[in-house]
Amino acid sequence: MLFAVHCLDHADALPRRLANYDAHKAHLAQGSVKTVISGPLLAGDGETMIGSLFVFSAETIDDIRAFNAADPFNAANVWQSVSINPFLMRVDNRN
């Protein structure tokens, strides 16, 4: 099943985000859940990172909650809010 995870950063999170970026990438690559897509959310200037967006594949929402809780960005208090919802992909135009 797919899950969308939408995370918004604390206003002062950029230094913590940058300091934990390599650990965050390693976490996403570890494979306890499959990362379908991921990337930073940007402010209106198209450059300033203000959050994260993920689509993960996993068996249960609890798998996603545990995976997200173990993310170094979460441990570093980068995210102010996290929303996790099941996601039904109807269109995929990547091919």
Side-chain angles (χ1 to χ4, degrees), residues 6 17 34 37 39-40 43 48 52-53 62 65-66 68-69 71 74 76 78 91-92:
H6 183 266
R17 172 182 274 278
K34 180 183 176 193
I37 60 168
T48 305
S52 303
L53 178 67
D62 288 334
R65 288 181 181 131
N68 183 265
D71 191 300
N74 192 40
V78 170
V91 176
D92 183 351

Side-chain angles (χ1 to χ4, degrees), residues 2-8 33 37-39 41 51-56 61 64-65 67-68 71 79 81-87:
L2 296 177
F3 297 90
V5 181
H6 183 266
C7 309
L8 293 177
V33 303
I37 60 168
S38 70
L41 296 170
S52 303
L53 178 67
F54 309 94
V55 175
F56 292 121
I61 197 167
I64 301 302
R65 288 181 181 131
F67 186 72
N68 183 265
D71 191 300
W79 295 318
S81 65
V82 175
S83 298
I84 301 172
N85 297 96
F87 176 69

Side-chain angles (χ1 to χ4, degrees), residues 2 36-37 55 87-95:
L2 296 177
V36 178
I37 60 168
V55 175
F87 176 69
L88 178 60
M89 183 168 36
R90 296 211 185 245
V91 176
D92 183 351
N93 290 320
R94 291 176 289 161
N95 296 327

